[in-house]
Amino acid sequence: MSQSALAYHWSRSEFVRAWEAGAFDHRVELVEGEIWPVVIGSWHGDTVGQLMALLPRDGAKVTTATLPTGQSLPDPDCWVRRSDAEPVGTIGTRLSVWNPADVLLVVEVSDITTIEDLNIKARLYGQAGYAVYWVVTQDGVYEHTEPTPTGYRTRVEHRPGEHVPVRYADATIAVDDLISSGQ
């Protein structure tokens, strides 16, 4: 008879203590009690750089910091907050907590984690109340809007040849400009 191992679920405070103590030898994030490795390949890295160069900054700050979300500590590839926003709290000694109304856009660049980004992370970010969430893939950009307690009410796919709206800046970015980097 075989017995399956029980998966350990980390609390946010346990994860932060281990992270601050340098217990992890590579970049990780805490998602719903599980530690997920953060894997960055060439296309992914090039696309994040291109995205950060293209996002409007007037009245906004673009960052790659961890974004505490409920009991999870995901590491979005980048996110945008109001430039005048102040943290509403801290976790541990290095992580700031932000008012969801100050978080203007959250972005995951998705190479091998598309299913998780479109489902688990969309639910996390929607539950947190972040207004807009993008998943950038090699095939296009999935834009999530209208956060709800279960995720997002609306998801629109923007394909090559189209533009994705940058709602906080009343602007657009060509999908081709986002997904062609590194290809």
Side-chain angles (χ1 to χ4, degrees), residues 2-3 5 8-9 22 26 36 40 51 74 89 94 122 138 150 155:
S2 66
Q3 189 173 2
Y8 182 77
H9 277 68
H26 56 280
W36 289 7
I40 300 172
L51 173 68
R94 298 186 281 174
Q138 293 186 30
T150 58
R155 179 169 82 188

Side-chain angles (χ1 to χ4, degrees), residues 3-182:
Q3 189 173 2
S4 62
L6 295 176
Y8 182 77
H9 277 68
W10 290 68
S11 72
R12 190 171 69 177
S13 62
E14 289 171 323
F15 178 85
V16 169
R17 280 194 310 271
W19 177 68
E20 287 182 337
F24 305 111
D25 62 356
H26 56 280
R27 188 172 161 198
V28 295
E29 60 187 340
L30 179 68
V31 178
E32 296 185 327
E34 295 178 4
I35 295 177
W36 289 7
V38 176
V39 181
I40 300 172
S42 295
W43 178 84
H44 182 279
D46 290 346
T47 302
V48 171
Q50 182 72 1
L51 173 68
M52 292 186 68
L54 292 171
L55 286 171
R57 287 176 164 70
D58 189 29
K61 181 172 181 87
V62 180
T63 183
T64 61
T66 297
L67 182 59
T69 303
Q71 290 301 304
S72 294
L73 296 170
D75 265 340
D77 291 302
C78 72
W79 56 281
V80 182
R81 68 176 183 261
R82 297 179 200 290
S83 59
D84 61 351
E86 294 290 332
V88 295
T90 58
I91 298 172
T93 60
R94 298 186 281 174
L95 297 176
S96 295
V97 177
W98 300 91
N99 182 328
D102 292 328
V103 178
L104 306 173
L105 172 66
V106 179
V107 183
E108 294 286 356
V109 173
S110 190
D111 194 359
I112 61 172
T113 59
T114 304
I115 298 299
E116 293 87 348
D117 293 340
L118 288 173
N119 293 293
I120 296 168
K121 287 200 174 171
R123 185 180 67 248
L124 285 177
Y125 296 142
Q127 287 172 337
Y130 303 138
V132 181
Y133 168 53
W134 291 356
V135 177
V136 179
T137 71
Q138 293 186 30
D139 298 319
V141 178
Y142 294 87
E143 177 195 31
H144 300 75
T145 57
E146 301 178 64
T148 71
T150 58
Y152 286 93
R153 183 168 290 116
T154 305
R155 179 169 82 188
V156 175
E157 186 176 356
H158 302 277
R159 297 303 229 159
E162 298 176 357
H163 286 76
V164 61
V166 184
R167 296 176 186 275
Y168 70 88
D170 195 26
T172 64
I173 297 175
V175 171
D176 293 317
D177 290 345
L178 290 175
I179 67 173
S180 64
S181 64

